[in-house]
Amino acid sequence: MDPLKALADAERKPYWLDRAIAPEPSPRLVGQVSADLAVVGGGFSGLWTALMAKERDPSLDVVLLEGREIGWAASGRNGGFCAASITHGLGNGLDRWPEEIGTLDRLGRENLDEIEASLARHGVDCSFERTGEVRVATRDWELGGLDEEAALGASLGLRMERLDREQMRAEVDSPTYLGGLWDRDGAAMVDPARLAWGLRDACLRLGVRVFERTPVRSLRDGGSLLELGTPLGMVRASMVALGTGAFAPLLSRLRHFLVPVYDYVLMTEPVPAERLAEIGWRNRQGLGDSGNQFHYYRLTDDNRILWGGYDAVYYNGGLITAGHDQRDATFETLARHFYETFPQLEGVRFSHKWGGVIDTCSRFSAFFGTAYGSRLAYAAGYTGLGVGATRFGANVMLDLLSGERTERTRLRMVRRKPVPFPPEPLRSGVIQLTRWSLARSDAQEGRRNAWLRTLDAFGLGFDS
């Protein structure tokens, strides 16, 4: 189908947020309030931090501040892949923390189990489906990577199933598939906006004071308390947790480690059952292909297909603007790739197209730290895999604020920072060269040029 025709009627907004079930936002903060803990950011990072702070100590007075509406940014725009990995995949974790990979994988899978239990305990209905995720190979050179990951998974005792071409196409039938690796326990599919809204409701029930449309403009040390300035008020708090993702950080040191990368997504109209049967997909797994420029895709409750990824776009200078949420060239590329992957779905159209910004760091997985005499903690840099990992990061922040030495805070992953990005304009040049090199690597059977090999040697990278 002509991509332009398929996209012609698509709404230019995130599907997840474009529904009548969206709740009314909580009030703005007007005036001055005090709290034991102030949480900045109403995405998954902040919501989990506020919720678990109250679970740890119900007497704690917790305030959560969100600049727009709960789940408005990355938490309401993503693909809804709630992954167990806290290291952006086994391979990335092994490369960076080989001596800890077993512990990191166990902690990530425990975190996913705890997410499932917490959602049940708090009555959060977000269509949580523990389907697992399949990584597919669409080019011969990608098969070796599947074999390596399968061997690593086996060494860790994971329930991974290596699928040959016929087995893969028996699960989900695409003429592009050459094989797959199904991590049966390593991911759940969720409705991310309903997850964010459900966590907000759980926070409110536990007594968290939530203020939306309340951007924090300033942070200063007021002596015994930290002071957070907002347009119409102020919060004075004993402790602060920052979960602001890619947006301009209140702590200037974080600017060195984060770049805002835009990711783009399409959502189809509901696919009729008889059309969906042509490709199978009975087990409803999340799917992702294996190139440097990769797609991710999954089914929704009403059998729409979310189809995203491929282009990870950094706009020179690192500006975050509403205009960057739409990129027609990328939408057309994604639509063309969709029909190449599933020619059986010719004629299925797209209902929504949108983009959003990702907090990317050079090691592709979150980093952590404290400031103001350990009265402030932060977690950032999830690089597109934060739906599940933000809960782990929230626990790290609470551990750091408590001063308690835990298994989490002893990890090298928690104690060390990623390599910083260079300042602008060098930053833009380096990132654009890296993007070009990654695309070239995909076109040349995975061969990495001298630039990528140099980045590999220094533990640097660019991803989404």
Side-chain angles (χ1 to χ4, degrees), residues 395-461:
N395 264 320
V396 171
M397 285 195 283
L398 293 172
D399 290 349
L400 292 172
L401 289 171
S402 74
E404 183 181 357
R405 198 166 156 75
T406 68
E407 183 179 30
R408 287 182 288 262
T409 62
R410 288 192 292 267
L411 292 167
R412 285 184 63 230
M413 176 188 179
V414 171
R415 292 184 288 108
R416 298 191 179 182
K417 300 290 188 294
V419 176
F421 291 100
E424 292 287 8
L426 182 58
R427 176 179 292 193
S428 291
V430 164
I431 291 175
Q432 301 306 354
L433 174 59
T434 304
R435 291 184 66 233
W436 176 84
S437 297
L438 290 169
R440 186 174 176 84
S441 173
D442 281 342
Q444 297 187 335
E445 298 185 340
R447 291 190 294 273
R448 298 175 77 79
N449 64 16
W451 176 248
L452 293 179
R453 293 196 301 272
T454 300
L455 294 181
D456 293 341
F458 286 94
L460 289 162

Side-chain angles (χ1 to χ4, degrees), residues 16 156 205 262 371 421:
W16 305 116
L156 296 172
R205 286 194 295 271
Y262 276 82
F421 291 100

Side-chain angles (χ1 to χ4, degrees), residues 109-177:
R109 289 173 188 269
E110 289 174 355
N111 181 63
L112 184 56
D113 291 340
E114 290 161 4
I115 288 173
E116 185 171 11
S118 183
L119 299 182
R121 185 167 64 252
H122 291 285
V124 176
D125 178 9
C126 61
S127 299
F128 185 97
E129 293 183 271
R130 195 76 174 259
T131 60
E133 181 177 359
V134 181
R135 180 182 163 200
V136 300
T138 59
R139 291 166 285 200
D140 288 333
W141 62 267
E142 296 169 353
L143 292 168
L146 299 188
D147 293 335
E148 291 175 8
E149 187 170 351
L152 176 56
S155 73
L156 296 172
L158 305 182
R159 202 162 68 101
M160 289 184 168
E161 184 178 348
R162 178 69 168 84
L163 306 173
D164 63 23
R165 182 177 183 274
E166 289 71 26
Q167 291 169 322
M168 184 64 240
R169 293 190 64 175
E171 285 293 330
V172 183
D173 188 13
S174 168
T176 66
Y177 292 167

Side-chain angles (χ1 to χ4, degrees), residues 299-412:
L299 294 167
T300 65
D301 280 357
D302 59 350
N303 287 335
R304 298 170 186 264
I305 298 175
L306 178 142
W307 179 267
Y310 192 72
D311 275 346
V313 180
Y314 179 75
Y315 292 94
N316 290 343
L319 294 178
I320 299 174
T321 71
H324 291 160
D325 290 348
Q326 297 290 319
R327 193 168 192 262
D328 286 342
T330 294
F331 295 142
E332 291 168 26
T333 297
L334 285 171
R336 186 175 68 255
H337 292 174
F338 175 84
Y339 295 117
E340 290 170 358
T341 301
F342 295 127
Q344 308 96 312
L345 298 183
E346 175 75 19
V348 170
R349 298 166 67 91
F350 298 99
S351 66
H352 291 76
K353 52 188 176 184
W354 73 92
V357 66
I358 291 169
D359 58 334
T360 293
C361 73
S362 63
R363 73 185 194 188
F364 313 147
S365 50
F367 63 93
F368 313 90
T370 61
Y372 294 100
S374 297
R375 292 179 292 159
L376 179 148
Y378 58 82
Y382 291 97
T383 316
L385 207 66
V387 177
T390 45
R391 184 184 180 279
F392 174 84
N395 264 320
V396 171
M397 285 195 283
L398 293 172
D399 290 349
L400 292 172
L401 289 171
S402 74
E404 183 181 357
R405 198 166 156 75
T406 68
E407 183 179 30
R408 287 182 288 262
T409 62
R410 288 192 292 267
L411 292 167
R412 285 184 63 230

Side-chain angles (χ1 to χ4, degrees), residues 54-346:
K54 291 294 285 186
E55 289 182 324
R56 290 185 181 201
D57 181 358
S59 70
L60 205 68
D61 184 10
V62 179
V63 165
L64 186 148
L65 303 169
E66 162 55 36
R68 294 283 293 265
E69 292 86 34
I70 293 296
W72 166 81
S75 295
R77 295 167 184 255
N78 62 81
F81 285 64
C82 188
S85 178
I86 56 176
T87 61
H88 211 280
L90 279 177
N92 190 56
L94 182 66
D95 288 345
R96 300 179 188 282
W97 304 286
E99 73 286 353
E100 291 182 345
I101 188 60
T103 300
L104 291 167
D105 182 76
R106 172 180 57 79
L107 288 171
R109 289 173 188 269
E110 289 174 355
N111 181 63
L112 184 56
D113 291 340
E114 290 161 4
I115 288 173
E116 185 171 11
S118 183
L119 299 182
R121 185 167 64 252
H122 291 285
V124 176
D125 178 9
C126 61
S127 299
F128 185 97
E129 293 183 271
R130 195 76 174 259
T131 60
E133 181 177 359
V134 181
R135 180 182 163 200
V136 300
T138 59
R139 291 166 285 200
D140 288 333
W141 62 267
E142 296 169 353
L143 292 168
L146 299 188
D147 293 335
E148 291 175 8
E149 187 170 351
L152 176 56
S155 73
L156 296 172
L158 305 182
R159 202 162 68 101
M160 289 184 168
E161 184 178 348
R162 178 69 168 84
L163 306 173
D164 63 23
R165 182 177 183 274
E166 289 71 26
Q167 291 169 322
M168 184 64 240
R169 293 190 64 175
E171 285 293 330
V172 183
D173 188 13
S174 168
T176 66
Y177 292 167
L178 302 178
L181 180 64
W182 187 0
D183 184 349
R184 288 180 170 269
D185 303 316
M189 299 300 107
V190 300
D191 179 325
R194 283 167 49 212
L195 172 57
W197 299 332
L199 290 175
R200 185 198 75 156
D201 291 346
C203 285
L204 291 170
R205 286 194 295 271
L206 293 187
V208 175
R209 289 179 286 166
V210 177
F211 297 100
E212 299 182 55
R213 300 175 182 176
T214 304
V216 178
R217 301 298 193 199
S218 64
L219 166 65
R220 64 179 294 271
D221 190 344
S224 61
L225 299 174
L226 297 175
E227 296 178 349
L228 300 167
T230 73
L232 300 174
M234 176 184 290
V235 177
R236 304 180 74 240
S238 301
M239 299 176 290
V240 172
L242 292 184
T244 51
F247 292 92
L250 293 166
L251 203 61
S252 61
R253 71 185 69 168
L254 299 184
R255 298 177 190 272
H256 304 299
F257 300 106
L258 293 170
V259 295
V261 174
Y262 276 82
D263 182 55
Y264 295 94
V265 188
L266 302 178
M267 185 73 86
T268 72
E269 62 192 3
V271 180
E274 64 276 10
R275 300 294 306 276
L276 190 60
E278 295 177 40
I279 59 174
W281 216 341
R282 291 175 297 278
N283 289 308
R284 302 180 61 82
Q285 311 97 321
L287 294 163
D289 47 42
S290 302
N292 294 304
Q293 294 178 288
F294 62 92
H295 309 85
Y296 55 87
Y297 39 115
R298 48 78 57 98
L299 294 167
T300 65
D301 280 357
D302 59 350
N303 287 335
R304 298 170 186 264
I305 298 175
L306 178 142
W307 179 267
Y310 192 72
D311 275 346
V313 180
Y314 179 75
Y315 292 94
N316 290 343
L319 294 178
I320 299 174
T321 71
H324 291 160
D325 290 348
Q326 297 290 319
R327 193 168 192 262
D328 286 342
T330 294
F331 295 142
E332 291 168 26
T333 297
L334 285 171
R336 186 175 68 255
H337 292 174
F338 175 84
Y339 295 117
E340 290 170 358
T341 301
F342 295 127
Q344 308 96 312
L345 298 183
E346 175 75 19

